[in-house]
Amino acid sequence: MASLRELSEKRGVRFGCAVSVEALDDPEYVEAVGRECGISVAENASKFGPLCPSQGSHDYSAFDRIVAFAEERGMALRGHALVWHTQTPKWLGEDLPVREILADHIEETVGRYRGRIESWDVVNEAVADDAGMRDTIFLRSLGPDYLEWAFRIAHEADPGCQLVYNDYSIDEVCPKSDRVYELLSDLLGKGVPVHGVGLQAHLELSNPPNMDSVRRNVRRFRDLGLQVLVTEMDVRIPEPFSQEKREEQGRIYEEFVRACVEEGVTRILTWGLTDRYSWIPGFFQGTGEALPLDSKMRTKPAFEGLTRALGESTG
Ligand code: XIL
């Protein structure tokens, strides 16, 4: 059977997943990701904190391992995430010159991989759940123009790279995605080099998005001239797990990915590939089994749903 990589590439789409550096020691994992993925992103290794364990120096060894893994297999790469309020360096505080430190970090990191990373999540999750701007160390230290500032620095460091704003719960039309839409329209109006919006798509079996609304949402961002990417998809199942729920999950994967691809999304990434390695059980207690392969690396209805959605001919 054709892999998700082959099926998607036939129609000009790249499917892939987040890669965890710890899991690269697992040969079954390496085989599965190598087979199915045409694009990858580091699950943690390219975040600010992991890259900057101590002030004034970067440690790129873990991310380099993922970059080498991807390049050996001809996979495209995404970078994630330059400006994010979570997983910042432990030593970083508002008493320090945050602007200089962050500028150095963006310049050095984006510059180091210049020409090798097709897109970077420059700003991640800057909008709060109530659709206001999230109160973060970056907003407090740099002021509300920090997004514009960060995109410009990243663009200078790698002018050919696609620069993305990434967030969760913006998959359909809702107050939070309205806010992101306004934010990005504003940035584009000022000539800021922002090229894409990443829909994280951390979906819930018990509360799936309305697919017509997803389509309208993708369309409105594309009408602004932005690329739309699905950057971190998973569909968490509440316990107890059952085959019936897995089948429902398969339908959500299929319908969501079909809606996005039909509306012109050409990058579909899941947040991991196998339930053997997934952030979901640790972060959303009482849920799990969110990914296309099970913990024994067997395909699930979710995988079959992806196969159908990605394998359809464009007619
Ligand atoms: C998660 C990772 O999967 C975990 O291993 C880590 O402990 C916390 O971060 N949105 C994002 C990702 O943008 O970076 C997060 O990844 C999941 C939610």
Side-chain angles (χ1 to χ4, degrees), residues 14-27:
R14 278 187 191 261
F15 169 81
C17 76
V19 172
S20 125
V21 77
E22 296 78 24
L24 286 180
D25 293 328
D26 174 347

Side-chain angles (χ1 to χ4, degrees), residues 43-44 47 80 84 87 124-125 200 232 271 279 283:
E43 182 170 351
N44 289 299
K47 294 170 180 173
H80 171 85
W84 187 31
Q87 290 178 281
N124 196 30
E125 303 179 354
Q200 290 187 6
E232 309 188 9
W271 206 241
W279 73 304
F283 278 78

Side-chain angles (χ1 to χ4, degrees), residues 23 95 102 142 162-163 189 202 204 227 236 247 254 280 284-285 297 302:
D95 51 320
L102 185 59
L142 281 73
Q162 178 194 52
L163 303 182
H202 292 295
E204 283 174 81
Q227 300 284 315
R236 54 186 183 270
E247 273 155 24
E254 178 171 353
I280 289 295
F284 299 94
Q285 301 295 312
M297 301 289 173

Side-chain angles (χ1 to χ4, degrees), residues 11 19 22 29 98 138 148 153 157 184 187 214 218 237 250 258 292 309:
R11 57 187 306 193
V19 172
E22 296 78 24
Y29 173 86
V98 176
F138 305 114
E148 163 171 3
I153 295 183
L184 297 181
L187 293 178
V214 169
V218 171
I237 299 183
R258 176 176 297 129

Side-chain angles (χ1 to χ4, degrees), residues 8 14 18 20-21 30 49 66 84 103 118 122 137 141 157 161 167 201 206-207 233-234 250 252 273 305:
S8 53
R14 278 187 191 261
S20 125
V21 77
V30 167
I66 292 178
W84 187 31
E118 70 165 34
V122 177
I137 181 172
S141 313
C161 186
D167 214 328
S206 40
N207 184 27
M233 185 174 186
D234 45 28
I252 297 173
L273 187 63

Side-chain angles (χ1 to χ4, degrees), residues 107-165:
E107 277 162 15
E108 182 169 339
T109 303
V110 175
R112 178 184 166 96
Y113 299 98
R114 188 181 168 121
R116 293 161 74 191
I117 293 196
E118 70 165 34
S119 74
W120 265 104
D121 292 331
V122 177
V123 179
N124 196 30
E125 303 179 354
V127 175
D129 293 347
D130 67 3
M133 289 309 286
R134 188 185 293 278
D135 180 22
T136 69
I137 181 172
F138 305 114
L139 181 66
R140 290 190 299 273
S141 313
L142 281 73
D145 291 340
Y146 79 91
L147 287 94
E148 163 171 3
W149 171 88
F151 277 101
R152 291 194 193 279
I153 295 183
H155 184 60
E156 240 175 74
D158 186 355
C161 186
Q162 178 194 52
L163 303 182
V164 174
Y165 175 83

